[in-house]
Amino acid sequence: MRRHLWLRIGIVATVFVASLLYLYPPPFARAYLYGPAAQARRAGILPSTLNLGLDLQGGIHLVLGVDLDKAIEAQVERAGSGIRASLERKGIAVKDIRRRGTTELVVELLSPATWAAAQPTFGELPMFETKETDQAAGRVVLALRAREGTALRDLAVRQGLETIRNRVDQFGVAEPSIQQQGENRILIQLPGVQDPERAKALIGKTALLEFKLLDERTSVEEALAGKLPEGSEVLYQKHVDKETRQERRVPFVIQKKTLLTGADLSTARVSIDQTTSEPYVSVEFNAAGARAFAELTEANVNKRLAIILDGSVHSAPVIRERIPSGQAQITGGFTTEEATDLAIVLRAGALPAPVQVLEERTVGPSLGADSIRQGIIAILASTALVCLFMLVYYRLSGLIANVALGLNLLVLMAVMAGFHATLTLPGIAGIALTVGMAVDTNILIFERIREELRSGKTVRSAIDAGFSRAFKTVVDTHVTVLVSGLILYQFGTGPVKGFAVSLMIGILASLFTAVFFTRLLFDLIYTASRKVVSVSI
């Protein structure tokens, strides 16, 4: 027996069993290896443990445009609210604070005599610079600095990207592709999702949750007639009839001042009302939010508090007592799916700016199944032809190469499943290319062995010399292709990355099977016994 032969057999057996385990895990190991999300789909031909790309199993392709101006406007308005609160704390009365355009803020003091006392407050905002002043009128115009505007735009896209990724993850989509395109676009590919409307609603919802008091100084009728008090607005609650699907809008007079937002939420989950059996969303604040909610409810007992999501009133209950628990409920005649999606977007957080669907494509599952079938047929046909050639031309050594090729494909698929890599159509092309390279490696080794045999060496010496002489060339070619795959993966996107992943894994698997496994088989068949005098090659 050759040196370390049993150790090498053990390594190959371990790789073989581990590959089978990752591709076809038994029930008791399935959850441990992949978890519930990875078991969701089976394409019929391919193992369920492989994630299939958008081009294979169908899904949704979206390009969203982020309204960056809205993000800037929201930031400027928040700064205006901060200035108002700061001035009021100092006892300085404010006549009006309003946004002008996208980046400017106009502040008007009630009395010009407080001009000097108000100046330090304007200096507390390093993001703004003073553009105009009118001391006699008590008026100042602040403008957002250009570099701050650029930073806010970049931050809005990055925050939007992260928020959408969190929502998609909680939605349970395996291997989504979410990336920035250009300055203000986000590319989203969701393999396996067949309900584009639900996905768009989940992803595109801004999810700005606000708590505001109702303005009960005036009636809704008077407000709609134009007698709307300053600092208030009319918002609507939507009711949809479950049978006719007709929408009814109920108006409310709401104070504009936001008392609390969803930024302090710690969790949101779906619950069922025991009386009506309807689902609702139960939200819970973190410690800071719970304190603010307790103070809010304590100071406004017997008043109505509106819970507003993206400008729509969901409920406006009467505050009966102080609520110290930091918990609230959002009702609104939800279906279970609507309540689930709302809980997801609240947990993931609000988008920093509205988004708009610029491009939408849906790939049908039948196209994916056809693509899988054609790809598999192409691989099987090419593999069968190659295996037949190897058997005819190299006889027993060709059979060894074919067995190594089978292990190569098994290891490749298992590693892809183990790393939850996504198999795409270009990925199948990468596997086909790997098959060719694996066979080419064996041919290179076999031809070296033939040369050694023709020079008169013994079987053992010819095999040793053949593997030794071919080793450097094999490693060089594999490393070259591996580097190419790394470059494609680093700078490519979507399908190009899928091709690079399958190519790199296939090359590493090919190196293992051609150099290690094939040599092991030769050692077992030809060099472990002293009686062998010829080699079938």
Side-chain angles (χ1 to χ4, degrees):
M1 285 288 183
R2 303 297 299 272
R3 193 178 180 186
H4 303 312
L5 192 59
W6 286 110
L7 176 62
R8 291 155 61 196
I9 292 174
I11 292 174
V12 171
T14 302
V15 171
F16 179 75
V17 173
S19 299
L20 286 179
L21 189 64
Y22 271 97
L23 276 178
Y24 300 100
F28 68 89
R30 182 175 291 272
Y32 174 76
L33 290 174
Y34 296 102
Q39 305 174 30
R41 293 179 297 278
R42 171 180 283 274
I45 301 172
L46 295 172
S48 63
T49 46
L50 275 178
N51 292 317
L52 304 182
L54 190 69
D55 50 357
L56 293 183
Q57 64 168 323
I60 301 172
H61 170 103
L62 296 172
V63 176
L64 303 181
V66 183
D67 192 340
L68 298 180
D69 285 343
K70 291 290 183 186
I72 300 291
E73 291 172 1
Q75 180 63 35
V76 171
E77 288 176 357
R78 281 195 293 273
S81 300
I83 291 175
R84 181 187 291 276
S86 179
L87 290 174
E88 288 177 350
R89 281 197 299 271
K90 295 176 181 176
I92 301 172
V94 178
K95 181 181 179 182
D96 188 26
I97 295 181
R98 63 182 182 278
R99 177 174 50 80
R100 189 174 75 180
T102 302
T103 60
E104 294 180 357
L105 201 60
V106 181
V107 182
E108 292 182 344
L109 303 177
L110 189 61
S111 171
T114 59
W115 175 265
Q119 291 308 302
T121 300
F122 303 142
E124 294 171 359
L125 297 171
M127 296 173 65
F128 289 84
E129 57 186 353
T130 303
K131 183 177 181 182
E132 301 170 16
T133 57
D134 186 345
Q135 184 173 352
R139 179 174 176 274
V140 62
V141 177
L142 303 174
L144 189 69
R145 298 180 189 275
R147 66 172 183 277
E148 297 293 344
T150 303
L152 285 175
R153 289 172 184 272
D154 182 56
L155 183 63
V157 176
R158 285 191 283 113
Q159 284 184 339
L161 204 67
E162 191 61 32
T163 302
I164 290 174
R165 184 172 288 119
N166 289 337
R167 291 181 184 181
V168 170
D169 287 345
Q170 294 189 35
F171 192 53
V173 179
E175 292 296 316
S177 175
I178 304 170
Q179 52 191 295
Q180 183 175 349
Q181 265 194 343
E183 181 186 357
N184 65 336
R185 294 189 175 191
I186 297 176
L187 169 67
I188 302 169
Q189 291 185 335
L190 305 178
V193 174
Q194 302 301 328
D195 188 348
E197 295 305 320
R198 186 183 177 193
K200 284 192 295 182
L202 176 76
I203 293 169
K205 194 189 292 291
T206 306
L208 177 59
L209 182 64
E210 298 172 291
F211 293 81
K212 298 181 179 181
L213 287 173
L214 266 64
D215 188 342
E216 297 177 285
R217 295 174 296 173
T218 185
S219 66
V220 172
E221 291 76 15
E222 290 175 333
L224 293 176
K227 298 179 181 178
L228 188 64
E230 186 177 348
S232 296
E233 60 186 339
V234 176
L235 298 179
Y236 292 87
Q237 182 179 21
K238 299 176 184 175
H239 293 277
V240 179
D241 189 290
K242 292 182 178 178
E243 295 182 356
T244 64
R245 303 308 297 172
Q246 287 186 333
E247 183 178 296
R248 181 169 59 88
R249 302 172 74 207
V250 178
F252 289 88
V253 183
I254 308 286
Q255 295 183 22
K256 285 185 178 179
K257 185 178 181 181
T258 301
L259 302 175
L260 195 62
T261 70
D264 291 320
L265 286 183
S266 63
T267 187
R269 58 180 176 273
V270 179
S271 301
I272 303 296
D273 189 308
Q274 298 299 321
T275 306
T276 63
S277 299
E278 288 190 347
Y280 65 91
V281 178
S282 174
V283 298
E284 189 172 328
F285 291 98
N286 56 26
R291 278 196 303 274
F293 193 62
E295 293 171 1
L296 163 64
T297 51
E298 183 178 23
N300 297 284
V301 172
N302 293 326
K303 294 182 180 177
R304 296 185 71 181
L305 180 68
I307 301 176
I308 302 165
L309 183 69
D310 290 343
S312 294
V313 178
H314 272 264
S315 56
V318 178
I319 302 172
R320 298 298 182 190
E321 58 184 352
R322 179 176 183 270
I323 305 175
S325 62
Q327 294 180 337
Q329 297 177 0
I330 303 176
T331 58
F334 299 120
T335 64
T336 303
E337 279 189 352
E338 290 170 343
T340 302
D341 292 349
L342 178 58
I344 288 174
V345 297
L346 290 177
R347 286 198 299 268
L351 288 174
V355 295
Q356 180 184 5
V357 178
L358 302 178
E359 181 185 341
E360 175 189 349
R361 280 188 282 134
T362 301
V363 181
S366 58
L367 174 62
D370 290 343
S371 302
I372 294 173
R373 192 170 295 106
Q374 291 170 0
I376 294 298
I377 289 173
I379 288 181
L380 291 178
S382 60
T383 304
L385 287 174
V386 168
C387 290
L388 182 62
F389 168 78
M390 295 297 287
L391 277 176
V392 172
Y393 197 72
Y394 292 106
R395 292 168 292 178
L396 182 57
S397 296
L399 178 62
I400 291 174
N402 293 340
V403 174
L405 180 61
L407 182 63
N408 186 350
L409 290 174
L410 178 67
V411 172
L412 189 159
M413 304 295 273
V415 172
M416 290 188 70
F419 283 99
H420 297 273
T422 301
L423 185 61
T424 61
L425 274 178
I428 291 178
I431 293 174
L433 180 60
T434 299
V435 169
M437 287 206 61
V439 174
D440 187 54
T441 301
N442 286 125
I443 291 175
L444 192 64
I445 296 171
F446 294 167
E447 290 302 320
R448 293 289 181 273
I449 295 176
R450 277 182 167 182
E451 290 175 3
E452 298 300 327
L453 289 173
R454 282 196 290 267
S455 68
K457 288 187 176 179
T458 63
V459 170
R460 178 176 296 177
S461 298
I463 291 174
D464 286 343
F467 274 94
S468 177
R469 287 180 57 195
F471 180 76
K472 282 187 64 177
T473 306
V474 169
V475 171
D476 286 348
T477 56
H478 281 66
V479 169
T480 303
V481 177
L482 187 64
V483 170
S484 301
L486 285 170
I487 294 173
L488 285 175
Y489 184 82
Q490 179 64 31
F491 297 103
T493 58
V496 177
K497 275 196 171 183
F499 174 79
V501 167
S502 60
L503 180 63
M504 287 189 294
I505 297 175
I507 287 299
L508 293 174
S510 170
L511 197 60
F512 170 76
T513 54
V515 175
F516 190 85
F517 179 62
T518 306
R519 178 62 193 266
L520 174 64
L521 292 183
F522 268 91
D523 286 347
L524 286 174
I525 296 173
Y526 292 111
T527 63
S529 172
R530 297 179 182 276
K531 297 180 180 178
V532 176
V533 294
S534 64
V535 56
S536 175
I537 193 167

